[in-house]
Amino acid sequence: MDTTLRGVGVSHGVAIGEVRHMGTAVLEPPAKQIAAGEAAREQGRARQAVDAVAADLTARGNLAGGEAQAVLEAQAMMAQDPELMADVERRIAVGSTAERAVYDAFASYRELLAGAGEYLAGRVADLDDVRNRIVARLLGVPMPGVPDSDRPYVLVARDLAPADTALLDPALVLGFVTEEGGPTSHSAILARALGVPAVVALPGAGELAEGTTVAVDGSTGEVFVNPSAGKKAQMESAAAERKAALAASTGPGATADGHKMPLLANVGGPADVPAAVEAGAEGVGLFRTEFLFLDDSKNAPSEDKQVEAYRQVLEAFPEGRVVVRVLDAGADKPLEFLTPADEPNPALGVRGLRTLLDHPDVLRTQLTALARAAEGLPVHLEVMAPMVADRADAKAFADACREAGLRAKFGAMVEIPSAALRARSILQEVEFLSLGTNDLAQYTFAADRQVGAVSRLQDPWQPALLDLVALSAEAARAEGKSCGVCGEAASDPLLACVLTGLGVTSLSMGAASLPYVRATLAKYTLAQCERAAAAARAADSAAEARSAAQAVLSGE
């Protein structure tokens, strides 16, 4: 009899195969002492290893492109952090070997993050991965990472660092399962971009024996251990039916009774555009522009460089809608030339629009670049600000857009509960709202989006989060303006129906999710979606909300 484990499904699809575990982490180096005359040599070894690892991470990012590139370049910056490197050299100067100094310096920084309330806990996996790579190079042992295999398998790990997830080969990695992580972690987002079925926050995942056959359902979060022949056949049949339904579903997004629901793509740069076009995206609902700024943490990209990158995306959607989010720096995306280094809690500090208003020259250059990039194109450009808290924020952003000569709609992201509660006030200054459900959940429930232990509170089915979505949509409708969703909530086909029922006017997601959402929406009428939304809001938990909506839509 098969055993069923339950985690959080973060990437659609079914994977059936044997378990292969991620390569083990680097062992702790011995704490032996070096002679005083060897310090300079050891410091040189440490610098060479750090530079080599940073170059490797950057190269992986260039190969992966898009969102993965931005994440990996941020990791490369972490490897070369000057304060960390200074700590490594200090430890070597008092007798540590290069590998031991790296290990201890990273351990100290790790403790610092934990002591600050784990506001950057999602970066711990990234930090550990950088440390392991540097230490492995110094010790001359193989890098930790994806196992070598000539047969397809299901990858199991405690957590997956972005460097591993970004270059997964979908031909070999059928799916993956992690013990840590959450629905909006970097690995979850990249898994959806790859189209690899994935389940995260699965208790006991590390105890699955190597070679065990598992069946992974990335939609429900279920993992069946040693599934029976009947269970395998059932899942394969369901997957085949789903694939056929996806192939038959084309054209603009709409409900069964013709209510239009534009389906847009989230992109991290030009590299993500081909997949979005192929999936039939009607435009871009979230163009993350951070990838340009992560190339050099000390300097902003030139206006000409920005124009070139923006135009590549705008040209891909003639007559379509492209919603650009201006630079969202701070918190887990620090930039040396912009963000303070000594904030006690960056997640609640100067980030997003607050950072840009403190550096109006950076905002002005980006807005001017967007205006130039759109010149002569028939695209419908819309530009929005992240982390808008109130009407004053919205006005400051709209004023900056006008001063830059931007001919576009100006909008505000709803990521802070205050913005949802005062949405009508904010809409006096801007022309549309866009709900970033990932951060909105984080701030509503005081639950870091990267911490697996609080993934329950990051579930976009939480009724309190649905209430905030409804408030925003109602405000937009009252003002005759639009309110879309660009957070990962839109990638859940069932939840997409509920969001439609709540009154949102567009849905944006990773390209791989578009066919699933399009096919599911087409099965139900707007009235059914509205009834499902009401049932979900009446529930007391995320699980009950999902079950209630499912019951309504299945006619139970």
Side-chain angles (χ1 to χ4, degrees), residues 154-155 160 165 168 173-178 187 191 196-200 216:
V154 174
L155 180 62
L160 283 172
T165 319
L168 289 178
V173 181
L174 302 171
F176 67 74
V177 177
T178 67
S187 291
V196 176
V199 172
V200 301
V216 179

Side-chain angles (χ1 to χ4, degrees), residues 178-258:
T178 67
E179 195 161 347
E180 296 292 327
T184 58
S185 64
H186 284 147
S187 291
I189 292 171
L190 294 175
R192 284 188 284 269
L194 285 167
V196 176
V199 172
V200 301
L202 184 80
E207 298 170 14
L208 292 169
E210 188 85 3
T212 302
T213 298
V214 293
V216 179
D217 190 326
S219 299
T220 66
E222 293 172 309
V223 175
F224 302 93
V225 184
N226 294 317
S228 64
K231 172 59 73 174
K232 287 183 186 177
Q234 177 189 345
M235 292 183 73
E236 287 169 347
S237 174
E241 288 179 13
R242 193 180 301 165
K243 188 175 181 180
L246 295 179
S249 177
T250 58
T255 59
D257 55 339

Side-chain angles (χ1 to χ4, degrees), residues 107-120:
S108 177
Y109 189 50
R110 199 182 199 278
E111 289 176 9
L112 183 66
L113 294 185
E118 291 191 312
Y119 60 82
L120 289 180

Side-chain angles (χ1 to χ4, degrees), residues 32-48 85-102 138:
K32 62 183 181 183
Q33 293 287 298
I34 60 170
E38 296 177 356
R41 178 178 65 84
E42 288 296 289
Q43 288 172 341
R45 287 181 64 228
R47 284 192 294 270
Q48 288 175 357
M85 197 61 221
D87 191 15
V88 169
E89 293 187 342
R90 280 194 299 270
R91 292 171 187 273
I92 293 173
V94 295
S96 285
T97 62
E99 48 267 36
R100 185 70 207 192
V102 167
L138 287 166

Side-chain angles (χ1 to χ4, degrees), residues 268-339:
D272 291 338
V273 168
V277 173
E278 185 179 349
E282 297 169 57
V284 172
L286 172 62
F287 178 8
R288 303 179 179 95
T289 57
E290 289 76 48
F291 78 103
L292 273 170
F293 292 79
L294 291 170
D295 283 345
D296 181 353
S297 69
K298 297 181 180 179
N299 301 286
S302 69
E303 184 178 314
D304 287 343
K305 182 177 180 180
Q306 292 189 54
V307 171
E308 181 183 357
Y310 301 152
R311 196 168 180 92
Q312 287 181 56
V313 176
L314 296 177
E315 287 176 337
F317 296 95
E319 305 291 344
R321 176 186 177 202
V322 176
V323 184
V324 179
R325 180 179 70 190
V326 293
L327 175 63
D328 185 13
D332 63 343
K333 290 171 283 192
L335 291 172
E336 199 171 321
F337 69 94
L338 273 185
T339 48

